[in-house]
Amino acid sequence: MELTFRDLMTVLHGMGFGVLFMLAFSGALGVIYATAAGARWPSPSSALGLFRFYLISMAVLAWLTVLSGSYIIYPWYRAAPPAGAKDLSAYPQRLLLSSPLTAGWHELGMEWKEHIAWFTPIAMTMVAYVFIKYGPQLALQRQMRNAVLGFTAAAFLATAVAGVFGAFLNKYAPVRGGAEIVLMRGR
Amino acid sequence: MTAPPPSAPEALPNGPGAAAILAAGVGSLALGACAFAGDASPLVRKGFSLWIPTGPLSGVTLAAIVVWLAVWFWLSRRWARRDVNLMRVNASSFMMLIAGLLLTFPPFMDLLLGK
């Protein structure tokens, strides 16, 4: 059982950072709504501290996802093959563009994914800041609470688009190569 | 004698929160506008290629982040102790967010460019 270094980084980007971030979304919506609904006053400070840590972690995960995607994985994806290369398996972008049946995965999928993903860290940084600044006072600031929930929903949409296209792109033209890492040897 | 009930702290002005929300909207629009400009003009695309392995995406995202943080810094200083009309801030922010999202959608870009 082996994988390449690029496989490992792609999994870390998509499954490690991206999926963890997606899984945290329902919790974030619950945290913001519960705190902002102001059912109890004052909220226990330990719970508020935990909620702050939760949202900061989400913002950090969002930044790690886009930075690893844009500056580690994407250069491997868009690498140019040498002139006359017949085997394009190490050049995913060119491999997709080489057939009209797969070109759309780059022209729509990657072209949209590479940009839309960047809405998420901007939105989640704002959400974490507003939550830290106002905390339970969001219960008194209905408009601000609506903005925070709206941007959180937009971040979810952006991440979902990027994640779904990322999964399909890696299916049709996986980013592979680099040092081989042997996890287990068969008998 | 019973202790007095805990009182809520003094309400904060909404200015700092509004600054963060509006700046996020401006940053989103900047991201979409830069992505669109890079797609529309080969010259802009070349200018955005700050780091060759990542290509124009490096400049598009860096420009959007610089605009977002600069606007946030400026607004947070102006609105630090003020209450502002959050309904207007929200409406503007969501319009910019939607415009930014549309400007990154390739079929919408192609429609605007007449492709």
Side-chain angles (χ1 to χ4, degrees):
Chain A
M1 195 163 85
E2 59 91 29
L3 75 169
T4 67
F5 178 70
R6 291 182 184 182
D7 288 327
L8 182 65
M9 294 310 294
T10 307
V11 167
L12 187 67
H13 160 72
M15 298 294 289
F17 302 142
V19 169
L20 200 58
F21 180 77
M22 288 289 281
L23 287 173
F25 256 112
S26 53
L29 288 173
V31 161
I32 294 163
Y33 186 78
T35 309
R40 274 193 309 154
W41 179 267
S43 298
S45 60
S46 59
L48 267 180
L50 190 66
F51 293 165
R52 285 175 181 150
F53 174 76
Y54 191 91
L55 289 174
I56 291 170
S57 301
M58 281 190 73
V60 170
L61 276 174
W63 282 108
L64 286 173
T65 308
V66 294
L67 288 171
S68 61
S70 299
Y71 291 97
I72 299 175
I73 315 291
Y74 189 54
W76 294 331
Y77 170 84
R78 70 190 293 273
K86 293 273 192 293
D87 179 10
L88 297 175
S89 59
Y91 307 95
Q93 183 193 53
R94 304 306 169 97
L95 180 64
L96 291 172
L97 291 173
S98 67
S99 163
L101 293 175
T102 56
W105 286 114
H106 171 77
E107 289 165 353
L108 174 64
M110 180 52 94
E111 292 281 346
W112 196 17
K113 167 187 163 61
E114 71 186 37
H115 292 119
I116 197 171
W118 281 85
F119 286 99
T120 302
I122 292 175
M124 291 314 295
T125 302
M126 179 277 280
V127 167
Y129 168 80
V130 170
F131 190 87
I132 290 166
K133 181 86 179 169
Y134 292 91
Q137 289 201 22
L138 280 175
L140 310 171
Q141 306 266 10
R142 188 174 162 212
Q143 291 293 332
M144 200 179 293
R145 187 178 67 207
N146 290 345
V148 163
L149 288 170
F151 269 86
T152 306
F156 180 80
L157 172 75
T159 309
V161 168
V164 166
F165 277 116
F168 278 111
L169 283 160
N170 207 43
K171 188 168 178 62
Y172 285 101
V175 174
R176 306 206 71 213
E180 290 184 353
I181 302 165
V182 178
L183 299 173
M184 192 189 294
R185 287 194 187 277
R187 273 176 253 170
Chain B
M1 195 171 125
T2 55
S7 58
E10 194 179 333
L12 293 167
N14 69 16
I21 293 163
L22 190 57
V26 173
S28 301
L29 180 61
L31 179 61
C34 290
F36 178 74
D39 195 56
S41 160
L43 196 67
V44 175
R45 186 160 54 244
K46 195 176 171 191
F48 275 141
S49 294
L50 301 179
W51 192 57
I52 299 302
T54 292
L57 183 63
S58 57
V60 166
T61 54
L62 183 66
I65 287 167
V66 167
V67 169
W68 164 52
L69 292 178
V71 169
W72 190 358
F73 179 74
W74 181 69
L75 285 175
S76 65
R77 285 176 71 94
R78 274 182 69 93
W79 293 352
R81 290 177 191 82
R82 285 177 56 185
D83 277 308
V84 298
N85 184 339
L86 258 178
M87 202 175 280
R88 282 176 59 185
V89 167
N90 279 3
S92 309
S93 301
F94 282 112
M95 276 194 285
M96 287 189 283
L97 173 67
I98 290 166
L101 285 167
L102 279 174
L103 284 170
T104 62
F105 186 50
F108 187 75
M109 284 182 179
D110 292 346
L111 187 72
L112 290 183
L113 294 171
K115 285 184 185 171

